[in-house]
Amino acid sequence: MPELLCTPERIYLYTHTLHTEPCEGVLDDEGRPDYRRLFAAARRALARHRVRGSVYLALSPDLLLLHEAPFPSFEGFPLDEAILAEAQRNPFFRDLDLVVDYDLLRPEGPARVWVLFSALPRDAARRLTRGLRARRIEPWPLALWRAAKARYGQELRYFVLESVANTLAAFEGGRLVGFRRLTRPVAEGGEELAEEVLRSLHLFGTMPPADRALVFGLPESPAVEGLPAGAVESGVPLEELKRAAWAKEPPFLDLRPRRTHLGEGMPPAEQRALFLSALLVAAALAAGSYLGTERARRVERVEELRAAVEELEAEAGEAATEPLPTGPGARELREIALGLPKGLWLTELSAARDEVLLTGRAESPYLPLELAERLDAELTSLARSEEGLYDWEVRRALAPEAR
């Protein structure tokens, strides 16, 4: 299935080979996208190379909104509406009916979660979906990021530098920890670009040097020297990029119109009012939580001691009639079974010498956060699936005596 990448200057079409077509006049003097001209240029490219059928469509960040931001993670907080309201603050998309999709990146403590989100005007999304028969519409360079994740896995610290849209993205433990548009052209390289990359990594909270750096460009990848990485690799084979384009691994965003969409039936002004109201409620809850923290800690400690006594009594009673499971990790497995919140379920559990790995699905993004907190474990992956559920992964280190 062909892949189509659109930028304000060029259209890249990959069938069995890579084709490049001009794309002019798509941005006005203020940088606002003209989606009719974009659609016409894409149609001409497909017709010129006699492409029929469905396509994968990627749009550079100049042509849509691609952003990451933290949001409150209180139970009941209208995250969908908050993301839509944030997208509508963009001056190019203000008060427009938008198609919005998002992916949960990582939690930040018990009260916030970082979200990667994207937005596109609904009328433009409909035109591109129907007129180009797009099976997926997503921001560039998400496919490149997925290709890098497939190459480097979760063990290496790496960053991806690409010249198509001039972006930098950093990854740790297989998770996106930050991205930005660079001011220095990647294709030009040089000492000033290397310094900007170094400053950006510090901004992301990443300690250079990284284990790897991946530099990508079309039709050729530029040579960039002086990057803060142990090793620098250039380019990704287009077949490898093709597989990543259609993969459903996070980060995954799709901006095709849905039958029901975020904030359906609510004017933009009401969306913003709802968002502000939710923020006020979240702030009030946070303030109340702060004032009662010390008292809550003491009450919690008393309850922990009481629960420990009850657990010992129960174990002693069971031991008289039926032997408990024994062996390495038995206690951890019991704690996991007792710690599963309602609306969350396991799909796989595996144990190594020093850790237990749990994967599963949940009805809410807050339930995996709650599970990780209950088990004193680390939430290592959280992503929304196409079915509206949330795929998650939690790692818990085993105590030395349980190994």
Side-chain angles (χ1 to χ4, degrees):
M1 194 173 295
E3 287 74 42
L4 196 66
L5 166 58
C6 298
T7 75
E9 298 82 21
R10 296 177 184 83
I11 290 179
Y12 300 95
L13 173 62
Y14 179 66
T15 53
H16 299 292
T17 58
L18 181 66
H19 310 281
T20 304
E21 298 291 336
C23 185
E24 300 176 352
V26 172
L27 298 182
D28 62 18
D29 294 338
E30 297 180 353
R32 192 184 306 271
D34 186 331
Y35 294 104
R36 292 186 178 182
R37 290 189 175 184
L38 175 66
F39 172 74
R43 284 290 297 269
R44 286 195 299 269
L46 293 174
R48 178 181 177 85
H49 298 282
R50 300 180 181 180
V51 173
R52 297 179 176 85
S54 302
V55 300
Y56 164 89
L57 177 61
L59 303 179
S60 78
D62 304 275
L63 303 174
L64 44 67
L65 177 65
L66 178 62
H67 191 54
E68 65 169 350
F71 288 88
S73 60
F74 293 98
E75 183 67 39
F77 181 80
L79 183 60
D80 290 359
E81 306 296 345
I83 293 172
L84 177 59
E86 181 67 20
Q88 288 176 330
R89 293 178 56 193
N90 185 281
F92 289 171
F93 301 141
R94 191 181 303 278
D95 297 335
L96 292 180
D97 184 18
L98 301 176
V99 176
V100 178
D101 198 11
Y102 64 92
D103 200 355
L104 299 172
L105 295 179
R106 61 194 181 277
E108 187 177 71
R112 295 206 306 177
V113 61
W114 279 86
V115 176
L116 178 72
F117 64 94
S118 185
L120 185 68
R122 184 168 297 278
D123 57 353
R126 285 173 175 160
R127 181 186 296 270
L128 296 171
T129 300
R130 296 172 182 172
L132 302 181
R133 300 184 65 181
R135 287 281 299 276
R136 181 181 294 182
I137 302 177
E138 74 172 356
W140 171 261
L142 268 65
L144 177 60
W145 297 350
R146 290 195 294 270
K149 289 181 66 176
R151 175 179 294 189
Y152 299 128
Q154 297 184 353
E155 302 302 324
L156 298 180
R157 296 168 56 250
Y158 61 92
F159 60 86
V160 181
L161 194 63
E162 56 89 19
S163 61
V164 177
N166 218 52
T167 67
L168 168 71
F171 294 80
E172 287 188 358
R175 293 183 293 178
L176 177 68
V177 296
F179 88 95
R180 65 183 294 262
R181 305 286 298 278
L182 298 172
T183 59
R184 300 288 177 180
V186 173
E188 295 181 5
E191 183 178 347
E192 293 181 344
L193 173 65
E195 291 178 353
E196 184 176 2
V197 170
L198 181 62
R199 291 194 302 270
S200 300
L201 295 180
H202 282 295
L203 181 65
F204 299 154
T206 300
M207 186 62 65
D211 298 318
R212 298 285 189 278
L214 176 64
V215 181
F216 180 86
L218 289 174
E220 295 181 354
S221 299
V224 182
E225 298 181 354
L227 294 176
V232 178
E233 298 183 3
S234 179
V236 172
L238 291 180
E239 280 299 324
E240 188 176 328
L241 190 62
K242 179 185 181 76
R243 289 193 296 271
W246 291 104
K248 294 183 180 180
E249 299 294 327
F252 167 79
L253 302 174
D254 193 348
L255 294 175
R256 292 175 303 165
R258 302 174 180 82
R259 293 182 180 179
T260 59
H261 57 275
L262 302 177
E264 183 175 15
M266 296 187 67
E270 293 185 14
Q271 294 283 353
R272 289 193 292 272
L274 176 61
F275 182 36
L276 291 175
S277 299
L279 283 179
L280 289 174
V281 172
L285 289 173
S289 175
Y290 175 78
L291 292 175
T293 296
E294 188 61 31
R295 178 178 179 277
R297 285 177 180 173
R298 294 184 180 182
V299 171
E300 182 180 359
R301 181 57 178 162
V302 171
E303 292 298 326
E304 287 177 356
L305 293 173
R306 182 177 299 164
V309 171
E310 292 177 354
E311 181 180 355
L312 290 172
E313 292 176 347
E315 290 181 357
E318 292 175 5
T321 57
E322 184 177 344
L324 288 171
T326 60
R331 181 183 179 86
E332 279 72 13
L333 293 177
R334 290 199 299 274
E335 291 181 358
I336 290 170
L338 295 173
L340 293 178
K342 184 179 180 182
L344 176 147
W345 58 95
L346 288 173
T347 58
E348 184 177 352
L349 187 152
S350 59
R353 179 178 177 82
D354 57 351
E355 69 176 10
V356 175
L357 175 65
L358 299 85
T359 58
R361 312 197 89 182
E363 298 174 352
S364 163
Y366 305 106
L367 294 175
L369 293 169
E370 180 184 343
L371 175 65
E373 185 176 355
R374 286 186 185 182
L375 300 179
D376 191 22
E378 180 185 4
L379 180 65
T380 55
S381 177
L382 183 61
R384 188 164 61 89
S385 67
E386 287 187 309
E387 293 82 4
L389 299 173
Y390 295 85
D391 298 315
W392 54 267
E393 179 184 88
V394 167
R395 293 177 183 268
R396 173 173 173 174
L398 289 176
E401 61 272 12
R403 296 176 186 174

